[in-house]
Structures are given as C-alpha cells and as structure tokens.
Amino acid sequence: MRAEDGDDALETLFLPFIDGTLAWPSDGALFLRARDGWPLHQRAWPGLRCEQSFRPAADALERSGLSLAEEDETSRVPLVLVLPPRQRDESRALFARAIARCAPSGRVVACVPNNEGAKSAEADLARIAGPVGNLSKNKCRVFWTAPLEGPADADLAAQWAQADAPRPIADGRFVSRPGVFAWDRIDAASRLLADHLPHDLEGHAADLGAGYGYLSTELLARCPGIRAVDLYEAERRALDLARVNLAPFAERVALQFHWHDVTRGIDGRFDVIVCNPPFHAQGRGDRPDIGRRFIAVAAQALKPGGRLWLVANRHLPYEAELDAHFGNVRTVAQEGGFKIVDAMKSREGRTA
C-alpha cells in the first residue's frame, strides 16, 4: 500500500534513515508488525526481516520478496522497527519484546499516526526505554530510543511483556488475549448466530474467520451430527487461541486449523459453513467487499445442498451476493442491528 493510499505511518517510520538522522545498521534489522509498501522498496535495507501475524499482510510481504521472521525467534538485532497496534496492552507488550530483541547498543524505532495515540505510545516507550527522540510528518510521529543496554525499567518491561498474554474470559469458558477481535467478551453478533443454529446440522463444517473459536465451539456443543470442523483464520494469534479452546472436542471430531486469508479461496467440500465475516481490513472504514468475497468463497466450498449460516450488520449489502450464489436464501432473524441468514446451495451446485 502506498503512503498516499493511507499508510503514512510506514513512510514516516523510515524517514529518519532517509534524511540521515539515524544510520541503518550493517548487521540487519527486525520489523515487528511489518506491512508492505513503497517505503520498503525505495532503497536497499540490508538484512531486514519482517514479522507479521496477519496472513494477508504476511502474504503481501512475501510476494514483495521480503524475508519473514517467526514470532518465537529470540535472536538479537541492532535495530527493531515497530508499527504498534491500537490496542494499548498489545502495544506495550510489543515494545517490551522489541527491547528484548535489541542487541547491545541497539535501538527501537516506532511510528504511530497522531490520531491513533502517537503521544501516548511515545510516552509508553520512554517509560521502559528511557529518553526518546522524535520527529513529526504526514500527521504521524516517529520516535526512537537511544542506544540500549536493556530496558531502563526492567520491572515494568517484564510486566508489560505479559500485558497481552492469553487469559480466561467469559467466566473461564474461553481463553483470549488483547488485540484479537472481541478479545475480552463474546461478540454479540456471533452469539446471536449461535443462538439460531439448528441442532440438526451435520457432516463436515467450516468456520470462516474463526477468531478465537467461539462459533466452532458453539456449533459442536449444539450440533452432535457435526463430525469435523476446519477453522480458517487470518490472524495467527487468534488461531493459536482457537486451538486451545477447541481442544476439549479433539477426541470427538476431526479438527483442522488453517492460518489463511479466506478471500484467496479455500480447499475442501463442506456440508455446513458458519461465518461472521470481517467488514474492516486494518483500517477503520467499512469494507463490505470482504464479506461479499467470504460469501462467494463459501458458495464454492459447499457441497450441493450445503448450508451457509451467516451473521452480519443489517446495513451491509450482502443480499445480491447471496442471491447470486445460492439457490435458497432466507433471513432467519433481524435483531440488535444484526441479521442472521441461512443460505442453501442448490442441489445442482450452481454458483455464479
């Protein structure tokens, strides 16, 4: 994504290296929550490795020829770049991990848009790393530490390192963590869909955009005829939680977990698909095209006579896509600003 298309933070992050304020190290760098864009290709960045848990962004980095690092790597590097997330506990944990990955005399450099809490994020980094430098451009703030020999406040850094750790929610029914969708509660739309699932659903099911596994768990609890579930989730941090939350069903049904961007299509032939499709990407604006693509992918993946059970905000324009791909579509409920749809694929297997 080019900066003029809305990624000013990525451009501003690299500005201190372009204008000579900071030197790029010869021994390489690690970019946490990296995303692709023209600033990564405006010149050579020797030794740059990128870490990204969101599959569409990771795929884009790989397609650009950039090297990906695994989240559990522990090697230390002289420079760690960070694009902190909006969720503050998750952001603080990322700062703590960035400092831990710094080699002696290494730096952490981060950038946040002004309207997403840039000053607060800069203050957070300074609390555990000591004084920081900064500059502002493109309505963003880029800020960096002095050469580090570990955290300035080791106790606080250790505390923040656990700020986004998995923890029980919903009276202990699920494990979740800050930063994943609806991380500290059961999402109201997903709950409404679960409450309307018929008990006679059976066969091989898929959960598209599974999150931490709530819908799959409810599907298995309510529908004894389901014998297998494939969970597809683009955020790896959420998928890891789903593995934990679905573990009690592992002896009863076959479970598969896919770190996957559903919009690129899925393999398999399913009897049932449940779905609360995302309608935002990594920005704030509505993206109904994502939900429409989920519907098209579901139609391709269902067997003739298979059923899609979907929940969406009532205002999202999915009806034309549903009618184009399914032989029988009915709105089961409209409640609390949401709509529940049951769509059956025609026996002839027609899809647009």
Side-chain angles (χ1 to χ4, degrees), residues 319 322-331 341-344:
E319 283 69 22
L322 288 161
D323 290 339
H325 289 283
F326 290 89
N328 185 10
V329 179
R330 67 187 182 102
T331 299
V341 176
D342 171 22
M344 180 179 290

Side-chain angles (χ1 to χ4, degrees), residues 167-302:
R167 66 203 66 181
I169 64 164
D171 297 324
R173 288 187 61 208
F174 300 96
V175 172
S176 186
R177 66 189 302 185
V180 305
F181 172 70
W183 79 269
D184 57 350
R185 63 192 184 279
I186 295 172
D187 173 62
S190 295
R191 186 195 295 272
L192 186 64
L193 176 56
D195 288 343
H196 284 85
L197 291 175
H199 298 291
D200 62 352
L201 296 175
E202 60 183 10
H204 192 170
D207 183 351
L208 307 188
Y212 62 73
Y214 169 76
L215 275 178
S216 290
T217 299
E218 291 294 317
L219 179 69
L220 289 172
R222 296 165 187 261
C223 305
I226 297 295
R227 67 176 185 271
V229 180
D230 282 38
L231 291 85
Y232 295 85
E233 171 54 45
E235 178 51 64
R236 185 168 51 197
R237 300 170 74 250
L239 191 66
D240 290 342
L241 297 165
R243 295 178 192 274
V244 176
N245 291 325
L246 271 292
F249 298 95
E251 293 186 1
R252 189 188 108 193
V253 298
L255 297 170
Q256 293 195 59
F257 300 86
H258 307 270
W259 182 44
H260 185 72
D261 176 6
V262 170
T263 66
R264 299 185 66 133
I266 63 175
D267 295 325
R269 301 292 285 169
F270 300 101
D271 302 290
V272 177
I273 291 178
V274 294
C275 184
N276 180 0
F279 58 94
H280 298 288
Q282 290 188 315
R284 295 180 182 274
D286 280 5
R287 287 284 307 277
D289 58 300
I290 299 176
R292 289 194 291 264
R293 178 60 183 156
F294 269 55
I295 291 167
V297 168
Q300 292 289 340
L302 281 167

